[in-house]
Amino acid sequence: SHYRLSDSTRTGHSSFSPRTHACAELRPKDVGEEVTLCGWVQYRRHDLFVILRDFSGLVQLLIPQDESLVHLKSSLCGLPLESVVKVTGEVIHRPPGQENKAMATGAIEVSVRSLEVLNECKQLPFEIKDCVKKSESLRMQYRYLDLRSPQMQSNLRLRSQLVMKMREYLCNIHGFIDVETPTLFKRTPGGAREFLVPSREPGRFYSLPQSPQQFKQLLMVAGLDRYFQVARCYRDEGSKPDRQPEFTQVDIEMSFVDQMGIQTLVEGLIQHCWPEKMGPVSLPFPSLTYAEAMREYGVDKPDTRFGMKLVDVTEALYGTEVGFLRDAVTHPEGCVQAICVPGGAKHLQNKDLEFIRQTAKTHFNQELSLVVLKADGSWKSPLSKHLPDSVKQQLLQKTHAEAGDLLLLAAGAAERVRPLLGKVRLQCAELLEAQGVAVRDPSAFHFLWVVDFPLFLPREEDPEQLESAHHPFTAPHPDDTHLLYSQPDKVRSQHYDLVLNGSEIGGGSIRIHRASMQQYVLENVLKEDASLLSHLMEALDSGAPPHGGIALGLDRLVAIMVGAPSIRDVIAFPKSFRGHDLMSGAPDFASEAELRPYHISVNLPAEDRGVRGN
Amino acid sequence: SHYRLSDSTRTGHSSFSPRTHACAELRPKDVGEEVTLCGWVQYRRHDLFVILRDFSGLVQLLIPQDESLVHLKSSLCGLPLESVVKVTGEVIHRPPGQENKAMATGAIEVSVRSLEVLNECKQLPFEIKDCVKKSESLRMQYRYLDLRSPQMQSNLRLRSQLVMKMREYLCNIHGFIDVETPTLFKRTPGGAREFLVPSREPGRFYSLPQSPQQFKQLLMVAGLDRYFQVARCYRDEGSKPDRQPEFTQVDIEMSFVDQMGIQTLVEGLIQHCWPEKMGPVSLPFPSLTYAEAMREYGVDKPDTRFGMKLVDVTEALYGTEVGFLRDAVTHPEGCVQAICVPGGAKHLQNKDLEFIRQTAKTHFNQELSLVVLKADGSWKSPLSKHLPDSVKQQLLQKTHAEAGDLLLLAAGAAERVRPLLGKVRLQCAELLEAQGVAVRDPSAFHFLWVVDFPLFLPREEDPEQLESAHHPFTAPHPDDTHLLYSQPDKVRSQHYDLVLNGSEIGGGSIRIHRASMQQYVLENVLKEDASLLSHLMEALDSGAPPHGGIALGLDRLVAIMVGAPSIRDVIAFPKSFRGHDLMSGAPDFASEAELRPYHISVNLPAEDRGVRGN
């Protein structure tokens, strides 16, 4: 039962290895076999048992108690936890009554006959099993210990398997080519969030791109037909929560395809890579237009695992005398929107309600009216005495609100009121869940397409000017193309977002493939200097096929799948909140000699100069 | 025969597409079928035929000549070459005698019934078919046109398929996990060839790593067991020939493995991914020790597709009176080495011989003695009259030289003479091939392991000091471990190189897994500051398993496989010789405003200041 490491016919997890099995593979069918295992000493019980761990899980070793093997016993009992050993022994049944049903290998144990200590563990900053309870920074500093936890092992393994399945689908089933595109590239005009990389030519810099957008389009112009890449992308955002300076997207582009084609491809991709144990994915994914999503959920990435949709109650309030409501219903663009939080009156505390009210104030500078529907059906609300019963009845009817529910009302312009209620809707779900109310099924995965986005939006700094809602290469919706030249603000795009449980996990579009239209968009609509993209315009004029694609955010997708609170839990070596690698101490100071070849020098802020003496 | 783009049950190259077939798929069995094709107008013949091209290849379209379809004819005849069209038509047999056996679709043609012009080609900087003859810089500037060539299409497709097969082998057959490691990392001490990336923290820089070496070892400490990654790596080398600032390596690391285990894994990997049409790969690969390679080929990456091995002829010259030979044979470390170039006398010109002599002089500052063995067996050489016939006979015997061959002799210290003859050996092969002599089979692939490298080498700047032959994490050969503490210069390593046709395509090693040995190597042998790697030492002390791995140079491997003269031919968007992207103009100047967030400024050399006015 001992293998040569160079046995080329063996496959599986133990090929090329002295072990015969992975620890967690052993079962009663292996009883009687002599096995060799390699792993870490997880813990020890009463000098009788050692629990051995490897990537696959745990197995119990029986420490021999007979006199002839006393050296073996003393070695095993003297080993510090987390030491690395190779053991050989016989698989035996556990004595009746001593089986551990919670353990995959709990019916057997390995009676140790020989031991080789491969590396003794000398020091640990903390006990491995408590690792997850440690501070985030300690976990990051000793990431190689943190990664020994079953959860992190399983996250990284699932990620690897998921990507492998995606590749099989794209490459083997649908004829895509995996093409690597450069990460040392030219700065995008206005690309404020791109890292710079100094070159050895004075004053010249590469830039780390935020996505392979230009390259994927050029590959279509090149006739590659179907491209994909699991692409490393970069974004310098300082410290936004749960963002990483480098992240991974599954980047896809096809020629001769329309929006439905890309969406169907992606649905098939998700279905193909979805782990069986996580239940089936049913196709096609539901779809909402941007307008519908905003109207019903107040957000363009709705969490459709629960209701509490926005309800327009403007009509019910046409005759109202309440000042702020009347202002809203009489204003041409005003409205009153409501959501009903089922059980909200019953389960939410006063401080929860205050928190919701504060959100409206601080994030949206808006008033939110709360109606607590008491158990007896009576209204607890400042509005109560100002609304006639008939109006109250209408409100209850339209929102399907009942005794014990909470009703939230906001009045004003739709584009202000809806995002407010969209945010509050999510907060209510969280607050209810914190009270133990089941709002969203944690094992449910709700995919959703959001389509028909506007192609352009008013610029924040100058609302008379338009900017691209996504990027300037997005094609207009075929039904709206004629509007591009007359009312560009009315044009819908062929952009689509893929949303999972309320998070955007992908976005893409059909691209403009004619240079004349691209030029018109850049110069006439966006008022940008098209010459900065002259190589792309030339490319479109040299026989560009119709094309489109999508990019899926792999880190986010995997994080949602494994239920991780942060994408840091599905990345082997993530950066901290402030963009630091806490293990190695990156980023770090560079000496003048190291900067010299790049013709740059550091301008330290005044207060730092004394300290660093540069 | 028309598909909805959203038909999720279709697979293959035409799923999600309006086309029914790829152009080059059509065969006589399809005759009578109505097909829809999408592609580029490659060329037109006599207003009778259009040759349509897509990623798969070419097909001939028959332009309808009947009066009723005159608009279709005029459209097809008026289209500029490289325009993009969708055509529908019937597959018909070509008339007898008009088949084209050189074309995969040469037995059929498509009688066009309808046409949609998807994009008209407006301008081309050159004709596509002549692209390869254009200057390298024009090819790079219009890379999207260059990539339309069948050769580039095939190179990128082969690369994608090769990597896919490697992933299947590693992931699906041998239980490896694909883990992405960061590229924004800490500067390696002394890592002079690492690009810097300024962070928003004054004076602090990330560094783009040359390989994931530290991460892969830490993943083994983390118990991931088997890691691989198709990893983007970075190296700032200015302008070395055929190097790219970013390149790709297939990076592999395993726990509980020895050198034979890794070598067998890699042999299986190559065999698994090897394209069938390129013939079988036979295993195991032959192996040479470093000492053998240097002795027989004068180089540590021998091209074993041909002979002309180095022969030690010192003994034959013991009694010689020729000054420089006598000096060599009497010096304790001296020797005389020879190679026989079969047919060299017959095929090589005087200028070739002069070129070889010059190489020895300029590159090695050494004299090379040439013996031209004329057709009648007589010697043409300055040495001829100084060597007795018996010595000549011995030389011929030892080198197996015959009439018509060329004999090359070099005398001196072995470590100087061997590299000289190693280089000259390759030059002779090239010179003979330039004369039409078959020396190396261009379709042959000779894999070779080179093993038992020295662990340390004398530092170039201070030969009393040692430096790592590869890197400081390489483990000593198990037979030599005891010498580490007494004669480190004598220690062989557990490093191995994989060589293909004389190019190094991979290298790896078993790593040191004990902190005490790692510390000893860093501090006592290499005299380096071990504290800079304190996180690695801590990791080794916290239960590091024995581990080892390898990195394969993907660009080089694919280039050799497809017979490309440069790795630029197997990379979609390579940088030019000087590290420029000629399409976009990267690297480019950055404004002061763009540099400000990174607290850096540019120091222009004096002569540039006036011009840029910075």
Side-chain angles (χ1 to χ4, degrees):
Chain A
S1 72
H2 290 278
Y3 297 95
R4 284 192 58 227
L5 275 58
S6 56
D7 178 351
S8 63
T9 62
R10 272 184 95 196
T11 59
H13 287 114
S14 297
S15 53
F16 314 115
S17 152
R19 69 182 170 230
T20 58
H21 296 77
C23 290
E25 279 176 349
L26 295 175
R27 292 290 179 279
K29 71 170 172 45
D30 301 308
V31 165
E33 233 189 287
E34 187 184 81
V35 297
T36 299
L37 305 172
C38 296
W40 284 258
V41 176
Q42 171 97 348
Y43 60 93
R44 198 168 25 231
R45 281 193 299 155
H46 320 300
D47 289 358
L48 285 174
F49 304 107
V50 161
I51 305 298
L52 191 69
R53 185 194 73 235
D54 67 10
F55 69 95
S56 68
L58 306 174
V59 71
Q60 179 162 292
L61 307 181
L62 182 65
I63 302 177
Q65 303 296 326
D66 26 328
E67 205 50 49
S68 69
L69 293 173
V70 67
H71 61 287
L72 188 51
K73 177 174 178 178
S74 74
S75 288
L76 275 169
C77 294
L79 270 179
L81 299 189
E82 296 300 318
S83 291
V84 188
V85 298
K86 183 172 91 175
V87 294
T88 298
E90 188 189 340
V91 182
I92 57 175
H93 286 291
R94 292 199 192 183
Q98 294 192 23
E99 298 91 349
N100 179 349
K101 292 234 166 89
M103 199 173 167
T105 58
I108 56 92
E109 57 197 9
V110 176
S111 173
V112 178
R113 289 184 185 159
S114 74
L115 164 77
E116 187 183 341
V117 178
L118 298 172
N119 208 358
E120 207 170 282
C121 178
K122 296 278 165 39
Q123 51 167 12
L124 284 181
F126 46 81
E127 275 192 65
I128 301 289
K129 60 180 173 179
D130 293 331
C131 193
V132 288
K133 295 184 220 151
K134 297 292 159 190
S135 76
E136 176 86 2
S137 69
L138 203 60
R139 284 181 59 195
M140 291 301 153
Q141 190 183 345
Y142 295 97
R143 185 62 162 177
Y144 49 89
L145 298 181
D146 188 37
L147 290 177
R148 288 184 189 167
S149 73
Q151 186 60 60
M152 286 304 306
Q153 293 268 327
S154 145
N155 290 359
L156 293 181
R157 202 165 282 269
L158 180 131
R159 179 179 178 135
S160 169
Q161 285 161 348
L162 188 84
V163 172
M164 189 66 202
K165 287 278 197 184
M166 287 185 173
R167 293 177 177 281
E168 286 169 352
Y169 177 82
L170 292 168
C171 242
N172 298 351
I173 302 184
H174 291 289
F176 281 74
I177 313 187
D178 180 3
V179 181
E180 298 174 67
T181 58
T183 56
L184 293 173
F185 192 48
K186 187 190 169 89
R187 195 155 175 79
T188 309
R193 299 186 299 183
E194 289 175 1
F195 285 101
L196 289 172
V197 182
S199 79
R200 286 174 189 255
E201 290 180 69
R204 287 183 184 264
F205 295 81
Y206 298 104
S207 177
L208 300 176
Q210 291 189 51
S211 90
Q213 183 64 32
Q214 281 192 44
F215 291 113
K216 66 202 267 193
Q217 292 196 241
L218 291 170
L219 286 172
M220 295 304 102
V221 179
L224 262 280
D225 203 64
R226 300 178 168 209
Y227 144 92
F228 86 102
Q229 181 182 198
V230 181
R232 192 69 58 90
C233 302
Y234 300 86
R235 193 162 42 200
D236 182 15
E237 297 200 292
S239 47
K240 270 205 181 179
D242 215 18
R243 290 287 179 95
Q244 287 284 323
E246 48 186 318
F247 57 98
T248 303
Q249 66 187 36
V250 180
D251 200 46
I252 293 173
E253 195 82 7
M254 286 177 82
S255 298
F256 310 113
V257 73
D258 66 8
Q259 180 167 334
M260 262 327 266
I262 298 282
Q263 290 183 216
T264 312
L265 171 85
V266 171
E267 289 169 352
L269 175 72
I270 296 285
Q271 190 176 55
H272 185 87
C273 75
W274 202 252
E276 214 172 306
K277 63 172 185 195
M278 293 175 74
V281 173
S282 62
L283 303 189
F285 297 155
S287 184
L288 288 176
T289 67
Y290 172 79
E292 289 167 341
M294 293 307 294
R295 197 161 59 227
E296 297 179 15
Y297 297 95
V299 66
D300 62 358
K301 45 182 180 184
D303 187 342
T304 52
R305 286 175 299 174
F306 67 108
M308 300 193 207
K309 290 188 197 179
L310 277 61
V311 181
D312 189 311
V313 294
T314 314
E315 261 183 60
L317 295 161
Y318 271 149
T320 187
E321 314 234 316
V322 181
F324 78 99
L325 295 176
R326 195 184 50 213
D327 287 354
V329 300
T330 55
H331 192 281
E333 286 172 15
C335 66
V336 183
Q337 304 282 329
I339 58 177
C340 164
V341 182
K346 189 170 159 201
H347 298 288
L348 296 184
Q349 327 264 311
N350 277 334
K351 68 169 167 44
D352 296 335
L353 304 184
E354 189 46 41
F355 178 69
I356 295 168
R357 233 184 249 112
Q358 279 304 323
T359 298
K361 265 210 190 109
T362 54
H363 289 277
F364 298 91
N365 196 23
Q366 277 262 138
E367 286 297 329
L368 187 68
S369 297
L370 277 67
V371 179
V372 174
L373 298 172
K374 294 205 276 194
D376 62 4
S378 66
W379 283 45
K380 185 183 157 197
S381 168
L383 280 181
S384 184
K385 58 173 176 284
H386 303 292
L387 296 180
D389 277 354
S390 65
V391 171
K392 287 186 183 172
Q393 273 313 314
Q394 276 191 66
L395 287 177
L396 294 181
Q397 242 168 25
K398 283 193 178 264
T399 57
H400 304 288
E402 294 174 3
D405 292 351
L406 173 70
L407 203 58
L408 305 174
L409 288 133
E415 67 264 31
R416 286 171 54 88
V417 165
R418 283 172 178 153
L420 155 63
L421 287 176
K423 168 125 187 150
V424 164
R425 172 178 174 268
L426 289 172
Q427 277 186 345
C428 289
E430 279 161 27
L431 291 168
L432 283 171
E433 284 168 348
Q435 298 297 328
V437 182
V439 179
R440 298 172 289 197
D441 176 356
S443 71
F445 296 96
H446 283 230
F447 287 95
L448 172 76
W449 289 108
V450 180
V451 301
D452 291 359
F453 282 83
L455 185 53
F456 306 108
L457 293 172
R459 274 185 210 271
E460 244 175 73
E461 52 301 359
D462 175 8
E464 293 296 293
Q465 291 297 318
L466 293 177
E467 65 183 5
S468 296
H470 294 93
H471 58 57
F473 315 116
T474 311
H477 194 290
D479 298 346
D480 295 356
T481 306
H482 61 288
L483 293 173
L484 188 60
Y485 307 94
S486 52
Q487 293 183 279
D489 59 313
K490 295 281 183 293
V491 177
R492 290 166 301 165
S493 71
Q494 294 192 65
H495 179 95
Y496 28 86
D497 270 354
L498 182 58
V499 174
L500 172 56
N501 292 357
S503 285
E504 183 202 320
I505 57 158
S509 60
I510 302 301
R511 327 295 183 185
I512 296 173
H513 69 280
R514 289 208 175 89
S516 54
M517 184 186 283
Q518 186 67 73
Q519 181 113 9
Y520 183 85
V521 165
L522 287 170
E523 295 197 337
N524 299 67
V525 182
L526 300 174
K527 320 284 188 199
E528 278 179 15
D529 181 1
S531 72
L532 291 169
L533 288 166
S534 62
H535 59 281
L536 182 67
M537 313 294 258
E538 276 188 286
L540 295 183
D541 254 348
S542 64
H547 60 289
I550 196 166
L552 303 175
L554 184 63
D555 307 297
R556 174 77 46 211
L557 171 61
V558 180
I560 296 173
M561 290 176 69
V562 302
S566 161
I567 60 170
R568 286 192 295 278
D569 291 329
V570 298
I571 296 172
F573 298 101
K575 300 288 188 296
S576 77
F577 192 71
R578 292 185 57 211
H580 287 200
D581 180 294
L582 296 178
M583 195 173 58
S584 70
D588 200 2
F589 293 103
S591 71
E592 269 189 52
E594 289 173 314
L595 300 180
R596 202 169 300 129
Y598 300 107
H599 310 278
I600 56 172
S601 55
V602 172
N603 314 318
L604 285 183
E607 67 269 32
D608 282 22
R609 276 189 204 170
V611 183
R612 299 282 318 158
N614 240 13
Chain B
S1 71
H2 290 277
Y3 298 94
R4 286 191 58 228
L5 274 59
S6 56
D7 178 351
S8 64
T9 62
R10 275 184 91 197
T11 58
H13 286 113
S14 297
S15 52
F16 315 113
S17 152
R19 69 182 170 230
T20 58
H21 296 78
C23 291
E25 281 177 350
L26 296 175
R27 292 288 180 279
K29 72 171 170 41
D30 302 306
V31 164
E33 233 190 288
E34 187 184 81
V35 297
T36 299
L37 305 172
C38 295
W40 284 257
V41 176
Q42 170 99 348
Y43 61 93
R44 197 164 30 229
R45 279 195 301 157
H46 321 300
D47 291 356
L48 285 174
F49 304 108
V50 163
I51 305 298
L52 191 70
R53 185 194 72 234
D54 67 9
F55 69 96
S56 69
L58 306 174
V59 70
Q60 180 162 294
L61 307 180
L62 182 64
I63 301 177
Q65 303 296 325
D66 26 331
E67 205 52 46
S68 67
L69 293 173
V70 68
H71 61 287
L72 188 52
K73 177 174 177 177
S74 74
S75 288
L76 275 169
C77 294
L79 270 180
L81 299 189
E82 295 300 319
S83 293
V84 188
V85 298
K86 183 173 91 176
V87 294
T88 298
E90 188 188 340
V91 182
I92 57 176
H93 286 291
R94 292 197 191 185
Q98 293 191 24
E99 299 90 349
N100 180 350
K101 292 231 168 86
M103 200 171 167
T105 59
I108 56 93
E109 57 198 6
V110 176
S111 174
V112 177
R113 288 183 186 160
S114 75
L115 165 75
E116 187 183 341
V117 179
L118 298 173
N119 209 358
E120 207 170 279
C121 179
K122 296 278 165 36
Q123 53 168 11
L124 283 182
F126 47 80
E127 278 192 63
I128 301 287
K129 61 180 175 182
D130 293 332
C131 193
V132 288
K133 293 184 216 149
K134 297 293 159 187
S135 75
E136 176 88 1
S137 69
L138 204 60
R139 285 180 60 194
M140 290 301 153
Q141 191 183 342
Y142 296 97
R143 185 61 163 180
Y144 50 88
L145 299 180
D146 188 36
L147 291 177
R148 289 185 188 165
S149 72
Q151 185 61 59
M152 284 305 305
Q153 293 267 329
S154 143
N155 289 359
L156 293 183
R157 204 165 281 271
L158 180 131
R159 180 179 176 134
S160 169
Q161 285 161 348
L162 189 84
V163 172
M164 189 65 202
K165 287 275 197 185
M166 286 184 174
R167 292 177 178 282
E168 287 168 352
Y169 177 82
L170 293 169
C171 242
N172 298 351
I173 303 184
H174 290 290
F176 280 74
I177 313 188
D178 180 2
V179 180
E180 299 175 65
T181 59
T183 57
L184 293 173
F185 192 50
K186 188 190 168 88
R187 196 156 175 78
T188 310
R193 298 186 299 183
E194 289 176 0
F195 285 101
L196 288 173
V197 182
S199 79
R200 286 174 189 257
E201 289 180 69
R204 288 184 182 264
F205 295 81
Y206 297 104
S207 176
L208 299 175
Q210 290 189 51
S211 91
Q213 182 65 32
Q214 280 192 45
F215 292 112
K216 65 201 268 193
Q217 291 196 242
L218 290 171
L219 287 172
M220 295 305 102
V221 179
L224 263 280
D225 204 65
R226 298 177 170 211
Y227 143 92
F228 87 101
Q229 181 181 199
V230 181
R232 192 69 59 88
C233 303
Y234 299 86
R235 193 164 42 200
D236 182 15
E237 297 199 294
S239 48
K240 268 204 182 179
D242 215 19
R243 290 286 178 97
Q244 288 284 322
E246 47 187 321
F247 58 97
T248 303
Q249 66 186 36
V250 180
D251 201 46
I252 294 172
E253 195 84 9
M254 289 177 80
S255 297
F256 309 111
V257 72
D258 65 9
Q259 178 166 335
M260 260 331 263
I262 297 281
Q263 289 183 214
T264 312
L265 171 86
V266 171
E267 289 170 350
L269 176 73
I270 296 284
Q271 191 176 55
H272 185 87
C273 74
W274 201 252
E276 213 171 306
K277 64 172 186 194
M278 293 177 74
V281 173
S282 62
L283 302 190
F285 298 155
S287 183
L288 288 175
T289 66
Y290 170 80
E292 288 167 342
M294 292 308 293
R295 195 161 59 228
E296 295 179 16
Y297 296 96
V299 66
D300 61 358
K301 45 183 180 184
D303 186 342
T304 51
R305 286 174 299 173
F306 68 107
M308 300 194 207
K309 291 189 197 177
L310 278 60
V311 181
D312 188 313
V313 294
T314 313
E315 260 184 60
L317 294 161
Y318 272 151
T320 187
E321 313 233 316
V322 182
F324 78 100
L325 295 177
R326 195 183 50 213
D327 287 352
V329 300
T330 55
H331 192 280
E333 288 172 16
C335 67
V336 182
Q337 303 282 328
I339 59 177
C340 164
V341 182
K346 191 171 159 200
H347 298 288
L348 296 183
Q349 324 266 306
N350 275 336
K351 67 171 166 47
D352 296 335
L353 304 184
E354 188 48 37
F355 177 71
I356 296 168
R357 234 184 247 112
Q358 279 303 322
T359 297
K361 267 214 187 103
T362 54
H363 291 275
F364 299 89
N365 195 23
Q366 276 262 135
E367 287 296 328
L368 187 68
S369 298
L370 278 65
V371 179
V372 174
L373 298 172
K374 293 204 279 194
D376 62 3
S378 65
W379 283 43
K380 185 183 157 198
S381 168
L383 281 180
S384 184
K385 58 175 177 281
H386 303 292
L387 296 178
D389 278 350
S390 65
V391 171
K392 288 185 183 174
Q393 271 315 312
Q394 274 192 67
L395 286 178
L396 293 182
Q397 241 167 26
K398 283 191 177 267
T399 59
H400 304 288
E402 292 175 3
D405 294 351
L406 173 69
L407 205 57
L408 305 174
L409 287 134
E415 67 264 33
R416 287 172 53 88
V417 166
R418 284 173 178 154
L420 156 64
L421 287 177
K423 169 126 187 147
V424 164
R425 172 178 173 270
L426 289 173
Q427 278 186 344
C428 288
E430 279 160 28
L431 292 167
L432 283 172
E433 283 167 347
Q435 298 296 327
V437 182
V439 179
R440 297 172 290 196
D441 176 356
S443 70
F445 296 96
H446 283 232
F447 288 95
L448 173 75
W449 290 108
V450 180
V451 300
D452 291 358
F453 281 83
L455 183 54
F456 306 107
L457 293 172
R459 276 186 208 271
E460 244 175 71
E461 49 310 353
D462 175 7
E464 293 295 295
Q465 291 297 318
L466 293 178
E467 64 184 4
S468 296
H470 295 93
H471 58 58
F473 316 115
T474 310
H477 194 290
D479 298 347
D480 295 356
T481 306
H482 61 286
L483 291 173
L484 189 59
Y485 307 94
S486 52
Q487 294 183 280
D489 59 312
K490 294 280 183 294
V491 177
R492 289 166 301 163
S493 72
Q494 293 192 66
H495 178 96
Y496 29 86
D497 270 353
L498 181 58
V499 174
L500 172 57
N501 291 357
S503 285
E504 183 202 321
I505 57 158
S509 60
I510 301 301
R511 328 296 183 185
I512 296 174
H513 69 280
R514 291 208 174 89
S516 55
M517 185 187 281
Q518 186 66 72
Q519 180 113 11
Y520 185 86
V521 165
L522 286 170
E523 295 196 336
N524 298 65
V525 182
L526 301 173
K527 320 283 186 200
E528 279 178 15
D529 181 359
S531 72
L532 291 168
L533 287 167
S534 61
H535 58 283
L536 183 69
M537 312 295 256
E538 275 188 287
L540 295 184
D541 254 348
S542 63
H547 61 286
I550 196 165
L552 302 176
L554 183 63
D555 307 297
R556 175 77 46 213
L557 170 61
V558 179
I560 296 172
M561 288 175 71
V562 302
S566 161
I567 60 170
R568 286 192 296 277
D569 292 329
V570 298
I571 295 172
F573 299 101
K575 299 287 188 297
S576 76
F577 191 72
R578 291 185 59 212
H580 287 200
D581 179 294
L582 297 177
M583 196 174 58
S584 70
D588 201 1
F589 293 103
S591 71
E592 267 189 52
E594 290 173 313
L595 299 181
R596 203 167 301 127
Y598 300 108
H599 311 278
I600 56 171
S601 54
V602 172
N603 315 317
L604 286 182
E607 66 271 30
D608 281 21
R609 275 184 209 177
V611 184
R612 298 281 318 158
N614 238 14

